[in-house]
Amino acid sequence: MERYNFKTVEEKWQNFWQKNKSFKTGLDKKKKKFYCLEMFPYPSGKIHMGHVRNYTIGDVLARFKTLQNYNVLHPMGWDSFGMPAENAAKENNLDPKDWTEKNISVMKTQLKKLGLSIDWDREISTCSPDYYKHQQIFFLELYNKGLIYKKENYVNWDPVEQTVLANEQVIDGKGWRSGETVERKKLSQWFFKISEFSDELLNGLDQLDKWPNKVKVMQKNWIGKSFGCEIDFKIKANTSVDKIKCFTTRPDTLFGFSFLALSVDHPISKFYEKDKEYQKFKQQCSKTGTTEESIAQAEKIGFKTDLIAINPFDEKSEVPVYFANFVLMDYGFGAVFGCPGHDQRDFEFAKKYNLPIKTVVKPKDFKGEFKVKDEAYVGDGIIINSSFLDKLSTPNDAISKAIEEIEKRKAGKKKINFRLKDWGISRQRYWGCPIPIAYDDNGDYITVPINQLPIKLPENINLKTKGNPLNHQEEWRKIKIDGKIYKLETDTLDTFVDSSWYYLRFCSPNNKSYGYDFDEIKYWMPVNQYIGGVEHAILHLLYSRFFMLALKHKNEKFVSKEPFDGLFTQGMVCHETYKDKNNNWLYPDEVFSDDGKNYFKINDKRERVIVGPSESMSKSKKNVIDPEKIIRSYGADAVRLFILSDSPPEKDIQWSEQGMVASYKFINKFWLLHKKIIKKIKMNNGSIDTYDLDVFTNKLIKKISTNLEKFNYNVIVANIYETYNFLIKEIEKDYKSVLLKENYLKILTLMMPIIPHIISEAIKDLDYNKKLAWPIANDKYLQEKYVNIVVQINGKKKSLIKIEKNLPDIEVINKIKEDEKISNILSDKNLLKHIIVKNRLVNFIVK
RNA sequence: GCCCUCGUGGUGAAAUUGGUAGACACAAAGGACUUAAAAUCCUUGCCCUUUUGGGAGUGCCAGUUCGAGUCUGGCCGAGGGCACCA
């Protein structure tokens, strides 16, 4: 029998799908829709295994929903602005545009070879003026809504990328892409007012019940809502300062107040700039790096001012004011009131500077006198030593009473504070979306009128200049607005802006006048299922949620709220790491083994390989497998089958050559089985009723359908193997041909989402030309005639008895007692009672 | 330090949501076919017993229950996120 030739079959069907536009999005708006979206890739050169996994998972879902007769939107595009293009172009003297376009064409070809059911007619690319024109229009819109502003502040400066990073892009004090230590620099920057929506972004999370809890928790922590109050502390001193504002969540501990601490960036610091000691202190603070270790180990240090702060609850209580290294300017008001008894950080500070440590909270059940000694007591309890707050329980009663009292004394008011900061969107880079702002000679700016958009990037420019290349484009910068010459803004937008609305663009990718068509997004949005890596849990997903709220703001027509109804975060693809004895990484391709040990070849000699732990595939560790090569050797179906098998999609998967080979063998085995079945059907001489097969098929429909809904794709692969194991035995029976064919078509349809090429070819052999539909399980076959009853004695399984379904209890018991083994056990025991779980189990309780 | 998630064979994992633990696969060992190898197929998989059979068993300890991988409490371990957030 001829062997399955995946090459010709896969190519044939991929051509067929392309020619027939098989995955073109339907236009019938009366049909139920399903918007399936995977995070679009950055066109870095070639696809990697992470892409294969991500897009296979999405494709299975899209194909399943299509078979279920949904109108499916399954598009693909390119997140094509960004620094790698600029850097690569700089190195090779290319235009970033050419580099990007070349990569897109390579990756598109590769994705097609996976057999993805993508509507390529909707392809978009964020670096195309057709796309970023609309982004510039959105910029103007948000600007006019007051959601964009410019301010000068300290920024995270990446010295390698020569650009500003958002807080979220700084990981352990290092740039998220460059890995270089980030510097503090003062710059004038554009900001999105994301903090305006803090509460909505937080509350919206509650509606997202199809999101992983993990992601919601991360966003919740990031938004960081805390309840408390602001307090104006009166200042006694000879300077012009008369009060300092603080934010606190613990006004109930105000009687434990023993110092006030300020950030070195606090406005008051200007009175101390000339003080030599202060300068020294400030420098010391800046030296405390931003790395993980330095933060963890940083000693709490302070600089004592001549200011004295007064406790609003006790005018006689006066405490010193310090500058302290642990106070951040961009949270609260850059000032904290120190209560060493009940805050560990304040406690350490007080110990160092010998400040009083007063105990004002005592644990609820503590008997006798409670005193803070070796560490702060931060738990709940009863207020003590606090005048009118005494005996109140904290947090609840004491905090509200304290706030009430503060408001009565006009010393402050109730306040909610968020950790979420505004999103800095300026980047000093060429390869990004230009910001539609122009400056006059005085440095005052205006927005560029809509009819002059898009502002296109200049082409063929010199990138090897220092800093932002656009700064050197004098001609390009000139723009005439209302007859007057202005100079364009040279900052470009953070690429996270590009990906914050692309899901809207996919709904109407060719709409010329505006970024989206209202009717289209009304039908398609929200995305029903969004699939991507968990590394975007905060950045991209929070920004996208913000963007929807910003578009909706003051726009009654825009009804959608959350962009992504369902979110699925897939795990990473891992591989063992290999090194030689000099600690140089080795590619898996270089490693071979013949006697159970691993070697690689060097100068015609073999040398032992040191095998390291399995880690997420990364170019730097060389533990990568090239998808294209794998597809070439085993075919797309086998790759899809393997990448879905073994591990659940949300968990990391180990790449294994053996596993890959097993999937490949299965594809071939399956084809041989298929040919046998076709032969049986063609012979058309069977006489056996298909009851057993019907039962199997209908159970399978139920299993695979529910497993698809629950993303249990690894179990579906197991279901497919089970199906093979079942059919290879069943095929010996001479089933009635028509019925066999009917069952077999259903079974093939169930496998279509996973291995579409071979299944398409197999269905062709059935001479079936109608539109495929997802089979529905017939309840008749799910109700079995016989059931296996587990017989337990005192909860332990003793026997398994096959009886008719739905027998009355008494008959079940009688049948079981006929069982020799059970009756033997029961004969010398005292039967106390029995528990019957219908059609499943009988438990005898004996003594 | 705080928050979240997870602990099941040699390995990746299943388990109808409280009811047959280990489906499905990888690896291993033994066997069949073959001159041989590859490919393919079959068998085995903890302890005691020659078999029949019996027993233990889902990180550890307790609890709830007729019955716990699944529920509750405590402990141990692994992974991830946040990190001076006042």
Side-chain angles (χ1 to χ4, degrees), chain A residues 58-108:
Chain A
D59 193 53
V60 169
L61 184 63
R63 284 179 179 271
F64 169 52
K65 290 294 167 184
T66 303
L67 286 165
Q68 277 191 325
N69 203 29
Y70 281 86
N71 203 4
V72 171
L73 175 56
H74 187 215
M76 183 60 74
W78 311 96
D79 189 13
S80 50
F81 266 140
M83 287 166 305
E86 197 164 334
N87 293 337
K90 226 193 277 187
E91 274 166 37
N92 306 315
N93 270 325
L94 293 165
D95 196 303
K97 190 176 161 224
D98 298 338
W99 184 85
T100 303
E101 280 171 359
K102 200 189 107 224
N103 289 347
I104 287 176
S105 119
V106 169
M107 288 171 77
K108 190 171 166 182

Side-chain angles (χ1 to χ4, degrees), chain A residues 260 283 376 496 527 531 534:
Chain A
L260 197 84
Q283 216 186 351
F496 277 108
V527 172
I531 304 164
V534 74

Side-chain angles (χ1 to χ4, degrees), chain A residues 326-482:
Chain A
F326 59 83
V327 185
L328 308 169
M329 191 56 224
D330 50 7
Y331 185 79
F333 301 101
V336 236
F337 100 77
C339 175
H342 306 284
D343 182 290
Q344 187 55 28
R345 188 195 48 205
D346 296 348
F347 181 86
E348 284 166 38
F349 191 79
K351 275 270 173 199
K352 184 168 165 86
Y353 293 101
N354 265 320
L355 297 162
I357 298 169
K358 200 173 156 189
T359 306
V360 293
V361 180
K362 141 181 147 164
K364 258 204 176 75
D365 302 321
F366 194 87
K367 301 266 181 323
E369 201 189 343
F370 178 70
K371 215 164 156 100
V372 166
K373 257 175 79 192
D374 301 324
E375 56 174 11
Y377 175 70
V378 295
D380 300 348
I382 306 291
I383 301 289
I384 53 170
N385 303 325
S386 297
S387 171
F388 54 85
L389 292 176
D390 278 355
K391 292 190 183 137
L392 290 173
S393 73
T394 191
N396 299 332
D397 301 348
I399 289 180
S400 44
K401 173 74 182 167
I403 293 174
E404 196 183 296
E405 202 63 36
I406 284 163
E407 287 180 343
K408 212 156 84 190
R409 289 163 198 240
K410 305 238 178 318
K413 57 175 194 245
K414 197 171 184 170
K415 161 120 181 143
I416 288 166
N417 215 7
F418 291 94
R419 216 186 70 124
L420 182 66
K421 289 170 201 104
D422 282 339
W423 174 15
I425 47 171
S426 285
R427 294 294 181 273
Q428 291 65 46
R429 277 280 159 176
Y430 163 71
W431 195 235
C433 172
I435 296 175
I437 290 283
Y439 296 87
D440 65 16
D441 293 341
N442 302 323
D444 294 328
Y445 56 80
I446 57 163
T447 53
V448 176
I450 283 192
N451 59 18
Q452 287 179 255
L453 298 184
I455 294 163
K456 289 192 193 171
L457 283 172
E459 289 184 33
N460 303 315
I461 68 160
N462 179 15
L463 293 169
K464 287 187 175 173
T465 50
K466 227 179 167 190
N468 185 352
L470 289 177
N471 275 335
H472 304 273
Q473 299 300 309
E474 287 303 328
E475 272 313 301
W476 172 79
R477 286 195 70 185
K478 277 185 203 153
I479 182 166
K480 204 178 200 177
I481 298 170
D482 292 335

Side-chain angles (χ1 to χ4, degrees), chain A residues 691-703:
Chain A
Y691 184 78
D692 287 348
L693 185 60
D694 289 331
V695 168
F696 180 87
T697 306
N698 284 281
K699 275 187 172 176
L700 189 70
I701 293 168
K702 206 176 165 200
K703 272 198 258 185

